Amino acid sequence: MAEHVILVVGPMGAGKTTAISALSDIDTIRTEAVNTERDVVDKATTTVALDYGEIELSPNEKIRLYGVPGQKRFDFMWSILKQRAVGMIVLVKNDAEDPVGDLVAFFDEFREIHERGGVVVGITHSDLAPRPTTYEYQQIVAERYPSALAPVFTVDPRSRDQLVVMLSVLAANVDSRAMFLAR
Amino acid sequence: MSDAGRFDPALVAAGTAALDAMKADSPGLVLAVLISDDGFEVVRTPRMGEQDGRFASMASSVQALSEAVIHELQIGKGDAVIIQAASGVVIQQRVPGRSVVLSALFRTDESLGRCLVGVRNCTAALDAAISALPSGSSITL
Ligand SMILES: Nc1nc2c(ncn2[C@@H]2O[C@H](COP(=O)(O)OP(=O)(O)O)[C@@H](O)[C@H]2O)c(=O)[nH]1
Ligand SMILES: [Mg+2]
């Protein structure tokens, strides 16, 4: 069975932990801590090491999902988790102060993953902030990271169905890239 | 960078007193840091030294991963996390039921048992001090 390690990255509050819980077939491993930065993102807990979940996309394709902490002060966890991943989902919180800046920061930080594997972008919280639009994100990605060929989705991390579509596209991209590189 | 400003001054004062008492009792103590659950430094002893917050963040990740392992293996209530290296021992312990964690680095000439007792006494003192704070109930899990 093909197994892929996929990271879910993005800023605090984007919905990484929510997405991994919604997607996973198993009870997720969580490392939630009491959030003392309610002024930054108003939620009770925040991830301080990782989230872990697994999903069988099809009978012969298993995905291991790792979520990272969103805050830069945990970037040592980013370095650890980066190593084995072949693809990543970048979740962008559309109602954040600078969502485009967040997208660019995570694309830059995790460059090695989209250079060797695949990447998809999921725009969350667009029910609360409709702009920037997916078109605007597509333009930025095409300009700055042309070789990443990153599809951009609007996604609600509480919806397993929406996430599965996005993850399936990512898995297909990763497989295509691997086949291309093997030639 | 110290994050003390983000915490209740009464918590910082209680933490300072508890850490200083541990330092006085444990000659082998190199560094002790009280951190919030989400990886911010509340107070440290000695007061100077590297303060970019990196150790506090790592300690919070280590604590959370250790507690995830305890949960996964269903081995009961967590006690201490021990990281033993050639020239130092790090011992971490959550203040019981509270959203703060003590992380302490000892020299290896201090016996592990003594280190553990020092950390346990300190977290017990912290628990009592936090219980007495007006803001104590907000520093819970
Ligand atoms: N309204 C709205 N809420 C969302 C959306 N996506 C996630 N959330 C909520 O935002 C919070 C995200 O928290 P979390 O998953 O911990 O974010 P993380 O820091 O990226 O792991 C949760 O309370 C979700 O229920 C969305 O698209 N719309
Ligand atoms: Mg999270």
Side-chain angles (χ1 to χ4, degrees), chain A residues 29-37 39 46 48-50 73-77, chain B residues 6-7 36-40 54 57-58 60-61 64-65 68 72 99 140-141:
Chain A
I29 295 171
R30 300 160 65 100
T31 58
E32 293 298 289
V34 174
N35 175 26
T36 65
E37 289 187 293
D39 51 321
T46 187
V48 293
L50 52 79
R73 68 179 189 277
F74 292 109
D75 62 359
F76 55 90
M77 287 304 310
Chain B
R6 55 185 297 118
F7 296 105
S36 67
D37 227 19
D38 62 343
F40 288 105
R54 202 170 167 77
S57 302
M58 286 189 150
S60 109
S61 301
L65 280 171
E72 184 72 18
S99 58
T140 49
L141 283 178

Side-chain angles (χ1 to χ4, degrees), chain B residues 54-74:
Chain B
R54 202 170 167 77
F55 181 63
S57 302
M58 286 189 150
S60 109
S61 301
V62 164
Q63 187 69 28
L65 280 171
S66 306
E67 289 175 3
V69 170
I70 291 167
H71 177 79
E72 184 72 18
L73 300 179
Q74 302 189 334

Side-chain angles (χ1 to χ4, degrees), chain A residues 10-19 32 43 45-47 51 124-128 155-158:
Chain A
M12 180 181 181
K16 303 176 294 295
T17 299
T18 305
E32 293 298 289
K43 56 174 189 154
T45 67
T46 187
T47 308
D51 298 303
T124 70
H125 294 79
S126 51
D127 52 324
L128 303 178
V155 69
D156 188 324
R158 297 164 295 184

Side-chain angles (χ1 to χ4, degrees), chain B residues 8 19 22 33-34 38 58 74 76 82-84 86 103 112 123 126-127 130 132:
Chain B
D8 177 1
L19 265 54
M22 174 164 68
V33 186
L34 183 66
D38 62 343
M58 286 189 150
Q74 302 189 334
I82 301 170
I83 302 173
Q84 219 163 357
S103 183
L112 186 57
T123 55
L126 281 163
D127 185 32
I130 291 170

Side-chain angles (χ1 to χ4, degrees), chain B residues 93-112:
Chain B
Q93 192 166 53
R94 176 178 293 286
V95 177
R98 304 285 181 188
S99 58
V100 286
V101 171
L102 174 66
S103 183
L105 168 63
F106 295 87
R107 287 194 310 267
T108 46
D109 54 1
E110 186 93 85
S111 83
L112 186 57

